Amino acid sequence: MVGGVTVLERVLRGLQREGVVEATVAAAPIDLRADLPLRVRWVVPGTAAPEGWRVVRGDELLGRRVVDEADRRALEWALCRNLTPAHQGLFDDLINWRLSLPLTRLIAYTPLRPNHVTFIATVLGLVAGLQLLTGEARHVALAGVLLQAQIVLDCCDGQLARLRFQTSKLGQWFDNVADDVIDITFIVCAGLALGGPWAVVAVAAGLARAWGQAILFHEVYRRTGTGDVFSFRIWFEREQASAAEVFARRSLGDYLRAFGRRDGYVFVWMLLCLLGQLELVVIYGAGLGVMIGVLMTLHLALRGPLPPPRT
């Protein structure tokens, strides 16, 4: 077992991606996942392959043969390192993956599914927001730490889905919508804790962000039939550009833009909460919410007609 799945099953799934529809395995039968997308026929171990058949080792992956525990651990870590996308954010790249990957390796051997992890992370994020309502310094500091812990756990659900072949459209939607609900709740709670005009600013910014994200989700669904927000291209971006190209960090402007991505602003919010600067949290969150609302409204006016809905 490597990352909660046998090496053999990983090899078989790799063959299926190459177009193989049936495999003959010369080994003692083992349980395979019911959703394995190719047929498997078991034959006696040591059976020779007929002439002309392609032969693939079932105990070898990424050029590594799994013979003992050391091999298994090395392969598992190599697989996990491949889970981090090329377009991940600056703080995901510097910090979060170092915490999330070891946790994902542990979760992979539990019955938890990616959507269970998303649910736990969502509850954690909402609890972080509610902590702010007291306005007490220790609760504000705790809220920042909990929100940062939430984003680390939020990395785990996608990593787990890719590691155990459990990706789904529902999981994609759940993950992305939950993040927005958490962030809006956090800013609104921060504003309510401060009271007065801060509450008005936070609620208005939350509404602006909700409006902008609704436009984004609607367009992504119309274009792709999924909740893949990384497929979205604003009106001034090349439609054919890959996510890695769009989110590459090549200039100072790209690094500054990284603070508009979730891993960036959540990390800053945590630092501000630890310093007791709740006003700055609201200012940062309000600026972000208004920017999203304005940009997406402009996009709605300038992008041109949408393609027909995906079925």
Side-chain angles (χ1 to χ4, degrees):
M1 298 291 288
V2 177
V5 178
T6 62
V7 177
L8 174 60
E9 181 170 335
R10 292 186 183 279
V11 171
L12 291 171
R13 286 180 179 272
L15 292 172
Q16 184 273 330
R17 286 193 293 271
E18 296 175 14
V20 174
V21 296
E22 182 173 339
T24 298
V25 182
I30 63 172
D31 290 333
L32 298 172
R33 290 245 301 273
D35 63 344
L36 187 68
L38 81 170
R39 295 184 298 275
V40 176
R41 186 168 66 94
W42 301 94
V43 297
V44 176
T47 301
E51 185 177 351
W53 281 32
R54 178 184 176 187
V55 179
V56 177
R57 292 194 64 93
D59 61 352
E60 186 175 291
L61 201 62
L62 299 180
R64 300 168 183 263
R65 188 170 300 174
V66 182
V67 177
D68 54 26
E69 179 63 12
D71 295 331
R72 189 195 71 79
R73 287 181 175 274
L75 176 58
E76 187 168 87
W77 183 245
L79 284 171
C80 286
R81 286 295 286 119
N82 286 336
L83 299 176
T84 53
H87 56 270
Q88 69 179 356
L90 176 61
F91 289 89
D92 280 341
D93 202 22
L94 293 174
I95 300 170
N96 294 339
W97 75 267
R98 302 175 191 277
L99 302 172
S100 64
L101 282 187
L103 187 55
T104 298
R105 291 178 71 181
L106 294 176
I107 297 173
Y109 293 96
T110 74
L112 289 175
R113 296 180 64 85
N115 286 350
H116 299 151
V117 178
T118 303
F119 177 78
I120 295 169
T122 303
V123 171
L124 189 63
L126 294 176
V127 168
L130 295 176
Q131 289 291 314
L132 297 174
L133 292 176
T134 67
E136 296 180 13
R138 61 192 178 93
H139 287 155
V140 170
L142 177 60
V145 172
L146 289 177
L147 190 64
Q148 179 62 28
Q150 185 275 329
I151 200 170
V152 170
L153 194 58
D154 186 46
C155 294
C156 293
D157 56 9
Q159 292 167 356
L160 183 66
R162 294 188 292 275
L163 185 63
R164 290 203 317 211
F165 310 104
Q166 292 175 326
T167 56
S168 68
K169 288 186 179 181
L170 173 61
Q172 197 174 53
W173 279 108
F174 186 15
D175 186 25
N176 289 324
V177 173
D179 287 346
D180 289 320
V181 170
I182 290 168
D183 294 346
I184 292 170
T185 299
F186 196 83
I187 290 302
V188 169
C189 287
L192 293 176
L194 292 169
W198 293 105
V200 177
V201 169
V203 171
L207 291 173
R209 175 161 178 172
W211 161 253
Q213 292 300 122
I215 295 172
L216 185 150
F217 285 131
H218 174 258
E219 178 154 330
V220 165
Y221 181 71
R222 282 286 299 265
R223 289 181 180 275
T224 69
T226 71
D228 179 16
V229 296
F230 289 108
S231 67
F232 174 77
R233 301 290 176 266
I234 204 162
W235 84 90
F236 53 78
E237 292 176 334
R238 286 191 303 112
E239 189 73 33
Q240 298 78 18
S242 67
E245 291 173 324
V246 171
F247 296 104
R249 295 185 293 274
R250 295 179 290 261
S251 66
L252 178 60
D254 292 331
Y255 279 92
L256 291 175
R257 187 177 65 171
F259 288 90
R261 295 187 64 176
R262 190 165 191 265
D263 62 305
Y265 62 74
V266 165
F267 185 79
V268 175
W269 286 354
M270 177 190 69
L271 295 180
L272 293 174
C273 286
L274 291 173
L275 294 171
Q277 299 297 315
L278 203 52
E279 293 86 356
L280 293 180
V281 172
V282 174
I283 291 171
Y284 194 160
L288 191 65
V290 170
M291 181 184 70
I292 291 172
V294 170
L295 278 176
M296 294 310 301
T297 300
L298 289 173
H299 177 77
L300 195 62
L302 300 173
R303 60 150 158 74
L306 282 172
R310 288 288 187 94
T311 56

